[in-house]
Amino acid sequence: MKAVVFHEQGGIDQLCYEEVPDPIISASEILVKVCACAVNHLDIRARRDRPEVEPFPHILGSDISGEVVEVGADVRNVGVGDSVVLSPCVPCGQCADCLNGDENLCDAQILLGFQTNGGYAEYVKAPAENATLLSSHFSYYEAAAMPMAYLTAWHMLVTRAGVRPGEDVLILSAGSGVGSAGLQIAKLCGARVFATASTDGKLERARQLGADFTINYTDTDFSEIVREKTGERGVDVVFEHVGAATWDKSIACLAKKGRLVSCGVTTGNIGEIDIRKMYQKQLTLMGSALGTASELRTIIRLAEQGKLNPVIDRVLPLREAAEAHRIMEARENFGKVCLSPVDSP
Ligand SMILES: NC(=O)c1ccc[n+]([C@@H]2O[C@H](COP(=O)([O-])OP(=O)(O)OC[C@H]3O[C@@H](n4cnc5c(N)ncnc54)[C@H](OP(=O)(O)O)[C@@H]3O)[C@@H](O)[C@H]2O)c1
Ligand SMILES: [Zn+2]
């Protein structure tokens, strides 16, 4: 089959479109003909330097939708011809966290496309239990856009922060994959949404998605604008994934009893906090990592009902995966960049 692989970590030029052996499935696995694979910031970090990546040569791609073309002897939940989206997390299934239904906390979990070969390919193999069936009218691109970004944003805002109707939520970098998902989910929860981005073009897109206030953080201090627009109260929830560069301002945006929920550190993983202000304002800081297979089924159902509309920035042919990485590194995307094994998607 054709796939985009890298033989060693480094720059965009390490991504090569090559002929590689077809995956061979075990009794509990399925073989999926990839119809779409979305690109994540994690792919860029994996290509550059993340030490967990294996095997080599490596095929990236954690967000995969496609058609089942082969099933192992023990597989009962899906059959050949089914349309599926794959949950990216492969948990151990046996530890206390897994048995509690918190498989995103499993210490032994691996991610498709990160610690296995993934979806930058014509075919990918995965455990059968990672497959969620798609209804026939659901596009493969929309389905592939959902697992990492929408699942993570759902877990952050609904499961962890428990956003309620009428609350004020600040979404940082609303044009990112997780940000565009967070914006939609916060609106679905009935929140009033403040959104930041680095360009006015992205802010216009954010308004089209329902953002109530938009802030270009490159020419202003977003925490000052948030405080001004909320009558100095601040927001109830800050949706963080940018990390060191925004941390101080994110905390400054929080109202009394505010919650900050974070899933990422694009700009660095060390931040400080004034402990006295934290307890006086009764702030809550929350971590959040991906989500569960059950939550993935919930958000796919919401998308099938038209209540979530995955934002696709563009679809590129698989052989142009390097260009997809360039676009995301240049921060040109609003929403998800998807790859398709078809040459003219
Ligand atoms: N823990 C989890 O389960 C999980 C799951 C998914 C994602 N994440 C994390 O969430 C973050 C976003 O992921 P994504 O896939 O949504 O990314 P993405 O689509 O590539 O978007 C990243 C955005 O961050 C903003 N940004 C701000 N400062 C930046 C800087 N110095 N360099 C680069 N970008 C900067 C940019 O938007 P502006 O230019 O508009 O600011 C950029 O478009 C990543 O850190 C990722 O690892 C974590
Ligand atoms: Zn486990």
Side-chain angles (χ1 to χ4, degrees):
M1 67 170 181
K2 290 287 191 214
V4 170
V5 304
F6 58 94
H7 294 258
E8 52 187 79
Q9 288 171 305
I12 283 171
D13 52 352
Q14 296 294 334
L15 296 173
C16 309
Y17 186 66
E18 287 178 2
E19 188 69 30
V20 300
D22 286 358
I24 297 169
I25 60 169
S26 70
S28 60
E29 290 179 319
I30 56 174
L31 185 67
V32 175
K33 180 174 184 286
V34 178
C35 295
C37 181
V39 181
N40 287 292
H41 192 80
L42 179 68
D43 301 3
I44 290 165
R45 294 303 316 278
R47 190 205 73 227
R48 281 189 203 151
D49 55 11
R50 283 286 291 258
E52 305 94 323
V53 173
E54 58 181 343
F56 281 90
H58 188 76
I59 304 174
L60 291 165
S62 308
D63 273 345
I64 303 157
S65 64
E67 185 189 332
V68 177
V69 291
E70 191 184 339
V71 299
D74 297 341
V75 174
R76 299 285 172 269
N77 60 326
V78 286
V80 170
D82 284 343
S83 296
V84 295
V85 60
L86 299 179
S87 169
C89 168
V90 183
C92 81
Q94 296 174 19
C95 70
D97 294 314
C98 283
L99 295 174
N100 283 340
D102 293 324
E103 67 265 22
N104 54 330
L105 290 174
C106 172
D107 288 329
Q109 69 178 293
I110 57 172
L111 279 184
L112 295 179
F114 190 51
Q115 291 125 319
T116 72
N117 278 329
Y120 288 24
E122 287 181 294
Y123 296 92
V124 66
K125 68 173 180 175
E129 58 264 31
N130 281 53
T132 293
L133 287 171
L134 296 172
S135 61
S136 55
H137 64 273
F138 200 47
S139 103
Y140 282 120
Y141 300 125
E142 291 190 335
M146 296 203 73
M148 290 286 268
Y150 284 73
L151 180 56
T152 301
W154 182 269
H155 194 72
M156 290 171 78
L157 291 172
V158 176
T159 310
R160 300 287 289 139
V163 173
R164 293 182 294 275
E167 287 196 309
D168 283 337
V169 175
L170 171 66
I171 305 288
L172 294 191
S173 290
S176 61
V178 289
S180 53
L183 199 173
Q184 282 185 37
I185 291 166
K187 289 302 291 183
L188 188 64
C189 292
R192 184 168 73 156
V193 174
F194 295 70
T196 72
S198 62
T199 70
D200 290 342
K202 291 186 190 182
L203 294 173
E204 174 57 31
R205 297 283 308 275
R207 282 191 289 277
Q208 288 164 6
L209 275 183
D212 298 277
F213 295 99
T214 54
I215 306 163
N216 185 328
Y217 69 86
T218 60
D219 54 18
T220 182
D221 177 340
F222 70 82
S223 64
E224 283 178 11
I225 307 290
V226 164
R227 299 207 68 85
E228 184 192 314
K229 297 284 181 203
T230 55
E232 294 303 314
R233 178 180 172 272
V235 292
D236 301 290
V237 173
V238 174
F239 180 95
E240 244 295 349
H241 54 94
V242 181
T246 47
W247 184 253
D248 293 348
K249 290 179 184 140
S250 291
I251 289 173
C253 286
L254 287 167
K256 290 176 185 164
K257 293 172 84 174
R259 294 98 79 199
L260 180 149
V261 59
S262 167
C263 77
V265 287
T266 304
T267 60
N269 53 359
I270 304 296
E272 288 186 347
I273 187 159
D274 179 330
I275 301 168
R276 185 182 294 133
K277 279 192 191 154
M278 183 189 77
Y279 67 68
Q280 284 176 340
K281 289 173 77 178
Q282 297 200 131
L283 304 181
T284 304
L285 305 181
M286 302 179 194
S288 191
L290 207 60
T292 65
S294 150
E295 289 172 311
L296 179 61
R297 287 191 287 276
T298 300
I299 59 170
I300 294 289
R301 211 163 44 240
L302 287 166
E304 288 180 334
Q305 293 169 6
K307 291 177 184 148
L308 290 176
N309 296 294
V311 183
I312 315 267
D313 177 76
R314 70 193 86 187
V315 180
L316 294 174
L318 173 61
R319 62 169 76 235
E320 291 179 26
E323 171 63 4
H325 279 218
R326 187 203 64 73
I327 289 164
M328 290 183 60
E329 282 188 314
R331 300 154 67 168
E332 290 173 6
N333 59 304
F334 188 97
K336 303 298 296 178
V337 178
C338 287
L339 299 172
S340 162
V342 178
D343 264 346
S344 306

Short mmCIF file of all heavy atoms in Angstrom, two decimals, residues 126-150:
data_model
loop_
_atom_site.label_atom_id
_atom_site.label_comp_id
_atom_site.label_asym_id
_atom_site.label_seq_id
_atom_site.Cartn_x
_atom_site.Cartn_y
_atom_site.Cartn_z
N ALA A 126 -6.46 -1.88 13.52
CA ALA A 126 -6.78 -1.38 14.87
C ALA A 126 -7.55 -2.45 15.61
O ALA A 126 -8.19 -3.31 14.99
CB ALA A 126 -7.62 -0.11 14.77
N PRO A 127 -7.54 -2.39 16.96
CA PRO A 127 -8.41 -3.31 17.71
C PRO A 127 -9.86 -3.06 17.32
O PRO A 127 -10.27 -1.90 17.20
CB PRO A 127 -8.16 -2.91 19.17
CG PRO A 127 -6.84 -2.19 19.17
CD PRO A 127 -6.74 -1.51 17.84
N ALA A 128 -10.64 -4.13 17.17
CA ALA A 128 -12.03 -3.97 16.74
C ALA A 128 -12.82 -3.09 17.68
O ALA A 128 -13.70 -2.33 17.25
CB ALA A 128 -12.69 -5.35 16.63
N GLU A 129 -12.51 -3.15 18.99
CA GLU A 129 -13.31 -2.34 19.94
C GLU A 129 -13.08 -0.84 19.78
O GLU A 129 -13.81 -0.03 20.37
CB GLU A 129 -13.09 -2.79 21.39
CG GLU A 129 -11.67 -2.76 21.88
CD GLU A 129 -10.97 -4.11 21.76
OE1 GLU A 129 -11.30 -4.87 20.83
OE2 GLU A 129 -10.10 -4.39 22.60
N ASN A 130 -12.07 -0.45 19.00
CA ASN A 130 -11.86 0.98 18.76
C ASN A 130 -12.78 1.56 17.69
O ASN A 130 -12.79 2.75 17.44
CB ASN A 130 -10.40 1.25 18.34
CG ASN A 130 -9.48 1.27 19.54
OD1 ASN A 130 -9.48 0.32 20.31
ND2 ASN A 130 -8.72 2.32 19.72
N ALA A 131 -13.55 0.68 17.03
CA ALA A 131 -14.39 1.14 15.93
C ALA A 131 -15.77 1.57 16.43
O ALA A 131 -16.40 0.87 17.21
CB ALA A 131 -14.55 0.03 14.90
N THR A 132 -16.21 2.74 15.96
CA THR A 132 -17.59 3.20 16.16
C THR A 132 -18.24 3.28 14.79
O THR A 132 -17.68 3.87 13.87
CB THR A 132 -17.62 4.58 16.84
OG1 THR A 132 -17.12 4.44 18.15
CG2 THR A 132 -19.02 5.16 16.90
N LEU A 133 -19.44 2.68 14.67
CA LEU A 133 -20.13 2.67 13.38
C LEU A 133 -20.63 4.06 13.02
O LEU A 133 -21.09 4.81 13.88
CB LEU A 133 -21.33 1.71 13.44
CG LEU A 133 -20.99 0.21 13.45
CD1 LEU A 133 -22.25 -0.60 13.75
CD2 LEU A 133 -20.37 -0.21 12.13
N LEU A 134 -20.57 4.38 11.73
CA LEU A 134 -21.08 5.66 11.22
C LEU A 134 -22.32 5.41 10.39
O LEU A 134 -22.38 4.44 9.64
CB LEU A 134 -20.03 6.33 10.33
CG LEU A 134 -18.72 6.73 10.99
CD1 LEU A 134 -17.72 7.20 9.94
CD2 LEU A 134 -18.97 7.84 12.01
N SER A 135 -23.28 6.35 10.49
CA SER A 135 -24.45 6.21 9.62
C SER A 135 -24.07 6.67 8.21
O SER A 135 -23.08 7.39 8.02
CB SER A 135 -25.62 7.03 10.16
OG SER A 135 -25.26 8.38 10.18
N SER A 136 -24.87 6.25 7.23
CA SER A 136 -24.46 6.39 5.84
C SER A 136 -24.34 7.84 5.38
O SER A 136 -23.57 8.17 4.50
CB SER A 136 -25.44 5.64 4.93
OG SER A 136 -26.73 6.13 5.20
N HIS A 137 -25.10 8.77 6.02
CA HIS A 137 -25.04 10.15 5.54
C HIS A 137 -23.92 10.97 6.16
O HIS A 137 -23.75 12.14 5.86
CB HIS A 137 -26.40 10.86 5.77
CG HIS A 137 -26.74 11.00 7.22
ND1 HIS A 137 -27.39 10.03 7.94
CD2 HIS A 137 -26.51 12.00 8.09
CE1 HIS A 137 -27.54 10.44 9.19
NE2 HIS A 137 -27.02 11.61 9.31
N PHE A 138 -23.14 10.38 7.01
CA PHE A 138 -22.09 11.11 7.73
C PHE A 138 -20.81 11.09 6.91
O PHE A 138 -20.34 10.03 6.51
CB PHE A 138 -21.88 10.46 9.09
CG PHE A 138 -21.22 11.34 10.10
CD1 PHE A 138 -21.64 12.65 10.30
CD2 PHE A 138 -20.18 10.87 10.87
CE1 PHE A 138 -21.03 13.47 11.23
CE2 PHE A 138 -19.57 11.68 11.82
CZ PHE A 138 -19.99 12.98 11.99
N SER A 139 -20.20 12.25 6.65
CA SER A 139 -19.02 12.26 5.78
C SER A 139 -17.80 11.73 6.53
O SER A 139 -17.62 11.95 7.73
CB SER A 139 -18.77 13.67 5.24
OG SER A 139 -17.72 14.29 5.92
N TYR A 140 -16.95 11.03 5.76
CA TYR A 140 -15.72 10.49 6.36
C TYR A 140 -14.82 11.60 6.87
O TYR A 140 -14.12 11.44 7.87
CB TYR A 140 -14.98 9.64 5.32
CG TYR A 140 -15.57 8.27 5.11
CD1 TYR A 140 -16.03 7.87 3.87
CD2 TYR A 140 -15.62 7.36 6.17
CE1 TYR A 140 -16.55 6.59 3.67
CE2 TYR A 140 -16.13 6.08 5.99
CZ TYR A 140 -16.60 5.71 4.74
OH TYR A 140 -17.12 4.45 4.56
N TYR A 141 -14.83 12.76 6.18
CA TYR A 141 -13.96 13.86 6.63
C TYR A 141 -14.43 14.38 7.98
O TYR A 141 -13.63 14.62 8.88
CB TYR A 141 -13.96 15.00 5.59
CG TYR A 141 -13.45 14.54 4.25
CD1 TYR A 141 -14.20 14.71 3.10
CD2 TYR A 141 -12.21 13.91 4.14
CE1 TYR A 141 -13.73 14.27 1.87
CE2 TYR A 141 -11.74 13.46 2.92
CZ TYR A 141 -12.51 13.64 1.79
OH TYR A 141 -12.05 13.19 0.59
N GLU A 142 -15.74 14.58 8.10
CA GLU A 142 -16.27 15.07 9.37
C GLU A 142 -15.98 14.08 10.49
O GLU A 142 -15.62 14.47 11.60
CB GLU A 142 -17.77 15.33 9.26
CG GLU A 142 -18.09 16.51 8.37
CD GLU A 142 -19.55 16.91 8.44
OE1 GLU A 142 -20.38 16.06 8.78
OE2 GLU A 142 -19.84 18.08 8.16
N ALA A 143 -16.14 12.81 10.18
CA ALA A 143 -15.90 11.79 11.21
C ALA A 143 -14.44 11.80 11.65
O ALA A 143 -14.14 11.75 12.85
CB ALA A 143 -16.29 10.41 10.68
N ALA A 144 -13.52 11.91 10.68
CA ALA A 144 -12.09 11.90 11.03
C ALA A 144 -11.70 13.14 11.81
O ALA A 144 -10.75 13.12 12.59
CB ALA A 144 -11.25 11.79 9.76
N ALA A 145 -12.44 14.22 11.61
CA ALA A 145 -12.10 15.47 12.31
C ALA A 145 -12.44 15.40 13.80
O ALA A 145 -12.02 16.26 14.58
CB ALA A 145 -12.85 16.64 11.67
N MET A 146 -13.20 14.38 14.20
CA MET A 146 -13.77 14.44 15.54
C MET A 146 -12.96 13.83 16.69
O MET A 146 -12.90 14.42 17.77
CB MET A 146 -15.17 13.82 15.54
CG MET A 146 -16.11 14.61 14.66
SD MET A 146 -17.83 14.41 15.05
CE MET A 146 -18.01 15.32 16.55
N PRO A 147 -12.34 12.65 16.52
CA PRO A 147 -11.85 11.99 17.73
C PRO A 147 -10.92 12.83 18.60
O PRO A 147 -11.25 13.08 19.76
CB PRO A 147 -11.15 10.75 17.17
CG PRO A 147 -11.87 10.46 15.89
CD PRO A 147 -12.19 11.82 15.33
N MET A 148 -9.81 13.29 18.10
CA MET A 148 -8.88 14.00 18.99
C MET A 148 -9.45 15.36 19.42
O MET A 148 -9.53 15.66 20.61
CB MET A 148 -7.53 14.21 18.30
CG MET A 148 -6.75 12.92 18.11
SD MET A 148 -6.03 12.29 19.63
CE MET A 148 -4.43 13.04 19.56
N ALA A 149 -9.86 16.17 18.47
CA ALA A 149 -10.26 17.54 18.81
C ALA A 149 -11.58 17.59 19.57
O ALA A 149 -11.67 18.19 20.66
CB ALA A 149 -10.37 18.38 17.53
N TYR A 150 -12.62 16.97 19.03
CA TYR A 150 -13.96 17.09 19.65
C TYR A 150 -14.06 16.27 20.93
O TYR A 150 -14.68 16.69 21.90
CB TYR A 150 -15.05 16.72 18.64
CG TYR A 150 -15.27 17.85 17.66
CD1 TYR A 150 -14.35 18.11 16.66
CD2 TYR A 150 -16.35 18.71 17.78
CE1 TYR A 150 -14.50 19.17 15.79
CE2 TYR A 150 -16.52 19.78 16.91
CZ TYR A 150 -15.60 20.00 15.92
OH TYR A 150 -15.74 21.07 15.06
#
